[in-house]
Amino acid sequence: MTACAADRARYDRATAHLDAPLAIVDLDAFDANADDLVRRAAGKPIRVASKSVRCRALLERVLARDGFAGVMSFTLAESLWLARSGFDDVLLAYPSADRAAYAELAGDAKLAAAVTVMIDDPAQLRLIDDARQGGTEVVRVCLELDTSLRLLGGRVRVGARRSPLHSAAQVAELARAVARRPGFRLVGIMAYEGHIAGVGDAVAGSPVRSRAVRLMQSAARRELAARRAEVVRAVRALVPDLEFVNGGGTGSVQHTAAEDAVTEIAAGSGLYVPRLFDNYTSFSGRPAALFAQPVVRRPGVGVVTVLGGGYPASGAAGRDRLPVPYLPEGLRYDPQEGPGEVQTPLLGSPADDLLIGDKVWFRHAKAGELCERFEALHLVTGETVAETVPTYRGEGHTFL
């Protein structure tokens, strides 16, 4: 029996009493992935990206482990909810225009002490001040550095379009603006190198493209390490007690951790290991988060139909954004239908061994987005469901 076949047998036995559709997290794989992230971080703390987990119970589980400290959130409303729930170090990774949430933050000492907001423009400071509604708490601020690689005098850009702050001079100028403005305190710098951390460098069947990605990432790492160090020196000259410099992501943990200027690493997807993280030479993980759809039809030889499953991931549309049938091995989509809103035909010889009501296990393309489809995660250990816990959706929250 292959390792995948053994996993399928375990998952089927563990969830035999449960009807699909359902989602699980294999705790043995989750914990092993957490250990691997800590190993790669080489002593620097890992801040957990909540958007890649979207389950309070699992955030608490990983933060209880050595090597993890703090949460990186994705909306201000989520940040406040987490802080009220007992998370005392929440870094909002994206600027917000949520005026009502800013009023709550500025009016509550506990929230203001626990939450750090992200800015990259003086206009965001003005928006926060306009939203205070009398709240006088000091707002903790982090500045985001643009990590993109710019070539040919800026005519070619590689990387996400995030912050407009690219140079040390630009970041220092905004740092001075924060220092001059009452009611704010600059505590950190963040720089997420998505073109390194979030792009696989071993694309199956594409050796030329893979080689090009590796060359790009090598050049980008060198350029960013030098620029990030310059930015940190410039800001620390203005704010000597800067609390943290955050960088990295699941795909670049060990590289970012090697930079002296970086004090902590961000990672989250590496806990679940969705399909987009299969194409890396620098690390490998165990798929931990899966969802199961039930077989509801057997249209013919070599074909079964499961209920639903059309859960595409965010990003530029393409086949790599689709979930993939994972267990039993050897199933594939009908190219004329793909994963459907209500029904998904699956082709391949393993279909002939599946019966009505059997489960087919899938992997999502991304990590936390799976939790937007399910209200609960069944936490599997060995051949049993150890616990069933709510996702953000199961707690009544869909923050984005």
Side-chain angles (χ1 to χ4, degrees), residues 49-110:
S50 64
K51 76 177 181 67
S52 299
V53 179
R54 301 194 203 202
C55 171
R56 275 201 304 163
L58 289 175
L59 288 173
E60 290 167 353
R61 182 184 182 90
V62 73
L63 286 171
R65 303 175 68 90
D66 291 340
F68 292 86
V71 174
M72 177 175 282
S73 57
F74 61 100
T75 75
L76 185 53
E78 178 214 12
S79 305
L80 303 186
W81 177 66
L82 289 173
R84 290 194 187 94
S85 301
F87 295 84
D88 60 5
D89 181 6
V90 182
L91 169 62
L92 175 58
Y94 308 87
S96 175
D98 188 339
R99 291 176 172 81
Y102 278 130
E104 291 183 52
L105 179 68
D108 188 306
K110 177 184 176 181

Side-chain angles (χ1 to χ4, degrees), residues 59-244:
L59 288 173
E60 290 167 353
R61 182 184 182 90
V62 73
L63 286 171
R65 303 175 68 90
D66 291 340
F68 292 86
V71 174
M72 177 175 282
S73 57
F74 61 100
T75 75
L76 185 53
E78 178 214 12
S79 305
L80 303 186
W81 177 66
L82 289 173
R84 290 194 187 94
S85 301
F87 295 84
D88 60 5
D89 181 6
V90 182
L91 169 62
L92 175 58
Y94 308 87
S96 175
D98 188 339
R99 291 176 172 81
Y102 278 130
E104 291 183 52
L105 179 68
D108 188 306
K110 177 184 176 181
L111 297 180
V115 175
T116 301
V117 303
M118 190 68 60
I119 69 164
D120 55 32
D121 190 313
Q124 293 153 352
L125 296 174
R126 294 192 292 272
L127 185 148
I128 296 170
D129 268 341
D130 291 344
R132 284 179 179 270
Q133 297 183 5
T136 58
E137 297 297 332
V138 173
V139 175
R140 293 166 53 86
V141 168
C142 179
L143 307 182
E144 181 170 2
L145 170 68
D146 169 42
T147 65
S148 65
L149 176 64
R150 299 183 181 182
L151 305 170
L152 301 178
R155 293 190 294 276
V156 175
R157 174 195 179 110
V158 181
R161 296 183 181 277
R162 292 177 62 115
S163 170
L165 306 176
H166 191 78
S167 69
Q170 290 173 314
V171 179
E173 181 180 358
L174 186 53
R176 283 189 286 269
V178 174
R180 289 193 299 265
R181 200 172 187 98
F184 296 91
R185 182 158 70 94
L186 178 58
V187 298
I189 298 171
M190 188 197 84
Y192 171 59
E193 51 266 41
H195 52 303
I196 304 171
V199 178
D201 63 348
V203 183
S206 301
V208 174
R209 179 184 172 191
S210 298
R211 173 66 174 164
V213 169
R214 287 194 288 273
L215 289 172
M216 175 276 291
Q217 291 180 337
S218 178
R221 283 196 298 267
R222 291 193 300 271
E223 186 276 337
L224 178 58
R227 181 160 52 90
R228 181 154 40 197
E230 182 184 2
V231 167
V232 172
R233 284 194 298 270
V235 174
R236 287 198 184 278
L238 302 169
V239 186
D241 59 345
L242 195 72
E243 295 178 15
F244 63 87

Side-chain angles (χ1 to χ4, degrees), residues 29 32-37 39-40 250-251 254 270 273 277-287 363:
N33 293 334
D35 287 341
D36 186 63
L37 288 170
R39 176 189 62 79
R40 291 197 287 137
T250 289
Q254 65 271 37
V273 186
F277 285 85
D278 288 348
N279 303 321
Y280 286 78
T281 58
S282 61
F283 80 102
S284 61
R286 293 171 55 185
R363 294 174 65 199

Side-chain angles (χ1 to χ4, degrees), residues 7 113 203 208 322 344:
D7 282 341
V203 183
V208 174
L322 301 180
T344 297

